[in-house]
Amino acid sequence: MAAWPVTAVFILSNAATPLYVLWQRDIGFSKGTLTVIFAFYIIGLLGSLLVSGVLSDRIGRKPVLLPALALALAACAIFATASTVAALIVARLFTGIAVGAVVSAGMAAVTDTAGPERKPLAALLASCAMVFGAGLGPLLAGVLSETLPAPTVTVFVVEAILLGTAVLAVLLMPVRRPAAPRKGAWARVPGVPRGNRIQLVLGTAVFAPGITATSFVLSLGPSLLSGLLDTTSRTIAGAMAFAMFLTATGVQFTVRKLPRSTVLMAGATGTTLSMTTLIIAVNTASAPALIVSALLAGTGQGLGQLGGLSLLNSSIPSHRLAEANAALNVSGYTLAGILPVAAGYLSDTMGITNGATLFGAALMALAVIGALVVIRNRHRASGRDLREPPACAARFTTGLPPGTGSHRP
C-alpha cells in the first residue's frame, strides 16, 4: 500500500509523453521548446527536493505526501485544459514538485512501513514502484488517447482517479510522526551524514547518467521514433517508454541477490551500451537500434537507482533517510535536466542526428567515469545488502540499540 502513491504520481510524471505530438500540432512549438517544457518538470522536482526531504524527516511523511498529491491533481486539471505552452509549463512544474515530494517522503514511507529488518526489500519495492509507474504512464496515455475521445482530457481524468486512490492509501498508511522536531534550516540542499558521503557519490555516479538516458528517451524519443518509422502513433511511442521502464523494473528483481558493487557496475555498463546504440540508431536511421537503446537505458537507470537506494538504505539512519533519498535524486535529475535540453536545442540547430550523437557521446563518457568511480571504491560498495539481512544487522545499520522498537509502526 505504501508504494502505491509512488506509482500513481510517477504515472503522471510521464503520462504527457505521447501527447506532446498533439500539443505540438495544435499549439505549435519546436523540439527545443519541448525539452524546455520537460525541464520545468526538473526545476519543480529539484525545488521540491530542497524542502520535502528535510520536511518529511521532521514533521512526518503524510503532511508532505498529501499536499503533493493535491498538487498532482491540480496538474491533471491544467493538462486536461491546456491550450498554450505556458499552461504545459505550469502543469509540468506542478508535476515535478509532486514527484520531488514522492521520491523523498514517499520512498522513505515505504522503508518505514517495511521495518528495519526488511530495508533491502523496501529499497527494491520503492525503486520498482517508481520505474513501473514511470513506464505505465506513457503506455496508458498512448492507448487511451488513440481509443477514446478527447485524448488530452480523458488521459488526465483517468490519472486523477488513480491519484484519488493514492490519497486514500496515504491516509491509511501506518506511519508515525517524528517523536521530536530537529533543529536547522527547513530548506537546504539535501545531503547525508558526513560518514555516508561515499555511498551518495557511488550511487550518483551511476544513477545520474542512467536517469539522464531515460529522460532523453522520454523527451525526444517520440520525435526520433516518428521520424525513423514515419508514424505518429502515440501507442507505439508510449509502448517504447513502457518497455524501457518495464526493463528497469524487471532487471532489479533479477539482480536483487547480487552485491551492490556488481549492480552498480552493470548499471554503468547498461547506460554506456545504451548511448553507443543510440549513436548507431540515429546515424543509420535504425528504429530497432533506437528501441534497443531505450531498453538499455532502462537497464542503466533501474540498476543505478536500485544500487544507490540500497547503499543509502543500508547506512542512513531513518530520521535522515528522506533527505538522503532527496540528495540522490537532486544529483541525478540535475544532469537529467541539463543534457536533454541541450540536445533539444542542438537538434533544432544542427539536426536531430548531430544533436543526439553529441548527447550520446557526452553521456557515454559520464557513464564510463561512473564505472571507474565504482571500480576504485568497489570495497565501499560491496556487501550483500540487496539480500535480507538478519534483524540484528538491520538494527545496527539504523543506529538503534538491539531490542528497541525501531521505526516500525
Side-chain angles (χ1 to χ4, degrees):
M1 180 178 68
W4 172 240
V6 177
T7 301
V9 172
F10 269 92
I11 289 173
L12 173 64
S13 71
N14 294 330
T17 296
L19 305 178
Y20 284 125
V21 292
L22 297 178
W23 286 313
Q24 279 184 301
R25 181 196 65 196
D26 297 337
I27 301 172
F29 50 84
S30 66
K31 295 181 181 68
T33 301
L34 174 58
T35 55
V36 168
I37 294 170
F38 184 84
F40 267 88
Y41 163 80
I42 305 292
I43 292 171
L45 187 149
L46 293 177
S48 177
L49 289 173
L50 297 179
V51 179
S52 58
V54 176
L55 197 65
S56 172
D57 285 336
R58 291 188 182 181
I59 68 173
R61 312 308 185 202
K62 290 184 181 182
V64 173
L65 289 173
L66 290 173
L69 289 169
L71 208 56
L73 287 165
C76 286
I78 297 171
F79 270 129
T81 57
S83 59
T84 64
V85 169
L88 294 176
I89 286 175
V90 171
R92 288 297 284 171
L93 183 67
F94 283 6
T95 302
I97 295 171
V99 169
V102 162
V103 297
S104 52
M107 298 177 86
V110 176
T111 301
D112 291 347
T113 56
E117 71 277 10
R118 293 190 295 173
K119 280 193 170 187
L121 177 62
L124 177 64
L125 291 177
S127 184
C128 288
M130 174 179 169
V131 293
F132 182 73
L136 184 59
L139 178 64
L140 186 66
V143 172
L144 292 178
S145 68
E146 291 193 329
T147 57
L148 297 176
T152 58
V153 176
T154 305
V155 167
F156 296 104
V157 169
V158 172
E159 170 58 10
I161 294 171
L162 298 179
L163 289 169
T165 64
V167 171
L168 292 176
V170 171
L171 291 173
L172 297 174
M173 197 180 291
V175 291
R176 294 177 180 173
R177 294 176 67 92
R182 296 175 59 84
K183 297 180 180 179
W186 289 86
R188 64 171 183 257
V189 176
V192 296
R194 186 181 299 274
N196 301 117
R197 289 177 180 172
I198 186 61
Q199 285 89 352
L200 179 61
V201 169
L202 289 169
T204 297
V206 180
F207 173 61
I211 200 167
T212 302
T214 56
S215 295
F216 175 85
V217 174
L218 289 170
S219 59
L220 290 179
S223 297
L224 280 169
L225 194 63
S226 64
L228 294 177
L229 293 180
D230 191 26
T231 178
T232 58
S233 170
R234 297 183 292 280
T235 299
I236 292 176
M240 182 175 72
F242 177 73
M244 176 174 71
F245 285 112
L246 186 63
T247 301
T249 304
V251 74
Q252 293 182 61
F253 282 97
T254 302
V255 305
R256 68 186 185 278
K257 294 184 178 181
L258 297 179
R260 293 189 303 267
S261 58
T262 303
V263 173
L264 290 170
M265 279 299 302
T269 301
T271 303
T272 301
L273 293 175
S274 171
M275 293 301 99
T276 303
T277 313
L278 173 66
I279 293 171
I280 293 172
V282 297
N283 284 277
T284 62
S286 171
L290 178 64
I291 293 171
V292 170
S293 175
L295 298 180
L296 288 168
T299 300
Q301 180 189 332
L303 295 179
Q305 184 173 295
L306 177 61
L309 286 174
S310 297
L311 281 168
L312 298 180
N313 269 16
S314 67
S315 58
I316 305 293
S318 180
H319 68 271
R320 292 289 302 276
L321 186 56
E323 183 182 355
N325 289 342
L328 178 66
N329 282 279
V330 163
S331 58
Y333 278 103
T334 298
L335 185 65
I338 295 172
L339 284 189
V341 170
Y345 277 103
L346 284 174
S347 298
D348 283 338
T349 57
M350 303 171 57
I352 197 163
T353 297
N354 292 330
T357 298
L358 288 175
F359 170 86
L363 195 59
M364 186 193 307
L366 291 175
V368 170
I369 292 171
L372 294 176
V373 170
V374 174
I375 291 172
R376 184 178 179 84
N377 297 275
R378 180 181 290 271
H379 65 290
R380 304 295 295 273
S382 61
R384 293 180 290 180
D385 291 73
L386 296 179
R387 303 171 185 250
E388 289 285 341
C392 59
R395 292 191 187 98
F396 178 78
T397 58
T398 61
L400 296 170
T404 62
S406 76
H407 292 271
R408 173 181 275 186

